[in-house]
Amino acid sequence: MAQPAPTDTKLDEKVDYFNLPCPIPFEELHREAMMSLKPDLFEGMRFDFTKMLNQKFSLNHSVLMGPTEIPSQSTETIKIPTANYEFGATFIDHPRLLLWGRILTDGRLNARVKCDVSENLTFKANAQLTNEPHMSHGMVNFDYKGKDYRTQFQLGNGALLGASYIQSVTRNLSLGGEVFWAGQHRKSGVGYAARYNTDKWIYTSHGSNISCATCNPSGGIRNGFSHTQVASTGMVLASYVQKVSEKVSLASELMCNYLSRDVTASFGYDYILRQCRLRGKIDSNGCCAAFLEERLNMGLNFILSAELDHKKKDYKFGFGLTVGE
Amino acid sequence: MASRGVSLKAKGKSSKGSKGSEDRSLSESLKEWSTWAMRKAKVITHYGFIPLVIIVGMNSEPKPQLSQLLSPGFVFLPVCVIMLNAVASNRSSWRNLKLCGDQESSFKNECD
């Protein structure tokens, strides 16, 4: 990549190191892999209705009836049938302001605010509030976008502080790092990431190391950070997405937790066809999942979701209908 | 956040008795105020965020009608049923399940 490309290939210009494109934000590094490998799987019946009152303002009613897992001490999964109604309001004044709120019947509120204070500085806030004490989380981010770099500073409840930086090194490669400190759990962590993308394929890798005074798994603190769902200490995540054609893309991901010796590999596919979108994945934990969105009519989508976890003997099937744009 | 406030208050009270210096009480009152402010902000956000989004949306151009806000009537019937269920049973049953962990295994045995 360092030498100028020969004239008979597609690139007929020298790599101009002062004119590199702005990289993807640090938390969205893995977004293509996440789209294929982590669709919104659910269990039960789901009905979503979106009513656009305006170009910018919409209301959303969502009903979900089905078994919900409750956390239990034993290894078996215990499910309780529940029915939830969720009301939401969304205001999008692209690109300046975004307000997104969802409230459930049990009083849980998910709120997101994104505001462009100036051309390069963005303020984002994100909260999950519940009626139960000590279970609410909030996070505030300040993002600054430079010519070929992005930085982000995060502040969350429980004395959570974080900062990340990502820089375009060449036209296709960007490197970044993050540091964070969680005061309440006395943990600090450092992470590094790299992303290489071409028109046809994207490779990303992310490694992080968390040092803590007490050895507790972190789980919930990492909600706002990039792509570590279960990160106790020391994790490396690598993903590769290949866009085989306009309609098909394949993704694979490898996650190694080198301190707890836990490795997971997953492969997934994403078919975007004219009337439907089919995503599926298979895991090394013995879990395979599929998600189908079928467009029955303008504004009417039928969704099917299936997740089979052979190791835990947990089978989840869901179906639903999405009405509205 | 509330537990941090409580522990700071406890520390503050004991240090007040032993030291009684002015800048100690200033910092601890500052922390108390900030905890109080965070609690109030949480309650305000919890109840006021969705109405705020609705107000901002109803005042944006082109102005939508108030009737459009309540328009999808067919959604309301299952929604009312669910909400009545939620109000009647969720509070008590969820709290019981969360507090008594070993009741879950007895619940399962009953079902079998």
Side-chain angles (χ1 to χ4, degrees):
Chain A
M1 275 314 292
Q3 64 272 22
T7 46
D8 49 359
T9 61
K10 249 196 300 192
L11 299 164
D12 51 0
E13 50 196 82
K14 270 189 173 189
V15 175
D16 185 0
Y17 284 101
F18 292 106
N19 208 10
L20 293 170
C22 203
I24 305 266
F26 194 85
E27 66 257 14
E28 289 176 33
L29 268 182
H30 297 263
R31 98 182 141 191
E32 284 81 6
M34 290 298 134
M35 284 201 304
S36 304
L37 294 171
K38 303 218 165 28
D40 187 15
L41 300 166
F42 61 95
E43 184 172 17
M45 192 214 82
R46 190 171 109 180
F47 177 73
D48 275 335
F49 177 72
T50 304
K51 171 134 184 96
M52 303 277 306
L53 274 76
N54 205 337
Q55 290 283 53
K56 305 174 186 176
F57 178 51
S58 63
L59 292 177
N60 178 294
H61 305 266
S62 169
V63 174
L64 175 65
M65 297 182 202
T68 312
E69 259 182 62
I70 52 170
S72 73
Q73 282 81 12
S74 63
T75 51
E76 292 178 358
T77 49
I78 297 184
K79 296 187 186 179
I80 302 283
T82 53
N84 281 331
Y85 164 67
E86 188 184 53
F87 174 71
T90 310
F91 179 75
I92 302 182
D93 186 12
H94 198 70
R96 280 191 313 274
L97 179 65
L98 167 93
L99 296 169
W100 184 91
R102 295 282 184 271
I103 187 153
L104 281 140
T105 38
D106 50 9
R108 274 184 287 160
L109 172 76
N110 284 336
R112 256 199 270 165
V113 175
K114 174 177 170 290
C115 174
D116 281 353
V117 174
S118 79
E119 202 190 304
N120 290 335
L121 183 64
T122 304
F123 163 75
K124 289 200 274 202
N126 172 337
Q128 282 102 36
L129 304 177
T130 62
N131 281 328
E132 295 155 30
H134 311 304
M135 296 286 279
S136 310
H137 300 289
M139 177 113 51
V140 167
N141 295 351
F142 293 97
D143 291 354
Y144 183 77
K145 180 173 78 163
K147 194 153 173 294
D148 56 2
Y149 65 91
R150 282 185 202 251
T151 63
Q152 184 185 76
F153 177 66
Q154 287 191 334
L155 191 60
N157 82 331
L160 178 68
L161 289 173
S164 74
Y165 178 80
I166 183 163
Q167 163 91 46
S168 273
V169 173
T170 70
R171 188 191 297 255
N172 294 336
L173 176 67
S174 41
L175 302 173
E178 65 172 346
V179 294
F180 71 92
W181 185 70
Q184 205 168 38
H185 301 248
R186 292 282 182 272
K187 280 196 229 189
S188 65
V190 179
Y192 312 96
R195 179 184 162 106
Y196 189 90
N197 61 351
T198 63
D199 288 336
K200 292 266 173 174
W201 53 272
I202 299 168
Y203 171 75
T204 63
S205 74
H206 182 190
S208 67
N209 193 354
I210 304 177
S211 50
C212 53
T214 64
C215 297
N216 286 327
S218 65
I221 310 172
R222 301 279 281 165
N223 263 342
F225 290 96
S226 26
H227 322 299
T228 50
Q229 278 122 8
V230 179
S232 25
T233 47
M235 196 203 69
V236 175
L237 177 71
S239 72
Y240 177 76
V241 177
Q242 167 102 23
K243 195 168 169 183
V244 173
S245 76
E246 261 178 33
K247 299 186 178 181
V248 179
S249 64
L250 302 173
S252 67
E253 182 185 88
L254 182 70
M255 179 165 87
C256 313
N257 195 331
Y258 53 82
L259 284 166
S260 74
R261 306 262 183 228
D262 191 19
V263 179
T264 306
S266 53
F267 296 94
Y269 60 88
D270 186 356
Y271 291 166
I272 304 180
L273 306 173
R274 214 168 6 114
Q275 299 282 70
C276 75
R277 182 172 182 185
L278 177 62
R279 283 179 270 185
K281 75 154 200 223
I282 182 162
D283 227 331
S284 66
N285 289 335
C287 177
C288 46
F291 189 80
L292 169 72
E293 288 165 277
E294 171 97 27
R295 207 187 79 148
L296 297 177
N297 205 347
M298 178 67 196
L300 190 65
N301 284 345
F302 178 61
I303 39 183
L304 283 176
S305 150
E307 187 182 351
L308 311 165
D309 194 340
H310 298 288
K311 203 161 152 185
K312 287 195 256 179
K313 297 246 187 298
D314 184 18
Y315 310 108
K316 296 187 192 164
F317 298 97
F319 67 97
L321 206 59
T322 303
V323 183
E325 303 87 64
Chain B
M1 295 254 354
S3 64
R4 241 176 91 216
V6 165
S7 61
L8 283 167
K9 272 186 202 159
K11 256 203 299 192
K13 277 182 187 153
S14 59
S15 65
K16 248 197 205 165
S18 58
K19 283 203 176 177
S21 60
E22 275 194 21
D23 39 284
R24 236 319 127 152
S25 63
L26 186 66
S27 72
E28 118 212 348
S29 63
L30 195 66
K31 280 180 186 140
E32 252 178 69
W33 281 113
S34 70
T35 314
W36 176 88
M38 288 306 288
R39 244 183 257 147
K40 293 299 172 201
K42 186 220 161 197
V43 173
I44 290 171
T45 313
H46 205 160
Y47 286 104
F49 187 75
I50 300 258
L52 170 77
V53 178
I54 291 176
I55 288 169
V56 169
M58 294 301 277
N59 287 334
S60 65
E61 291 304 320
K63 268 202 175 175
Q65 303 292 324
L66 196 59
S67 58
Q68 280 180 302
L69 200 61
L70 305 167
S71 75
F74 64 90
V75 183
F76 283 165
L77 184 59
V79 160
C80 289
V81 173
I82 292 171
M83 286 180 74
L84 283 170
N85 266 341
V87 166
S89 59
N90 265 5
R91 278 190 205 151
S92 51
S93 66
W94 271 107
R95 290 238 175 94
N96 282 342
L97 283 165
K98 278 194 164 40
L99 291 170
C100 316
D102 48 356
Q103 265 193 15
E104 293 158 20
S105 47
S106 61
F107 176 75
K108 250 186 87 67
N109 288 335
E110 268 178 49
C111 292
D112 295 322

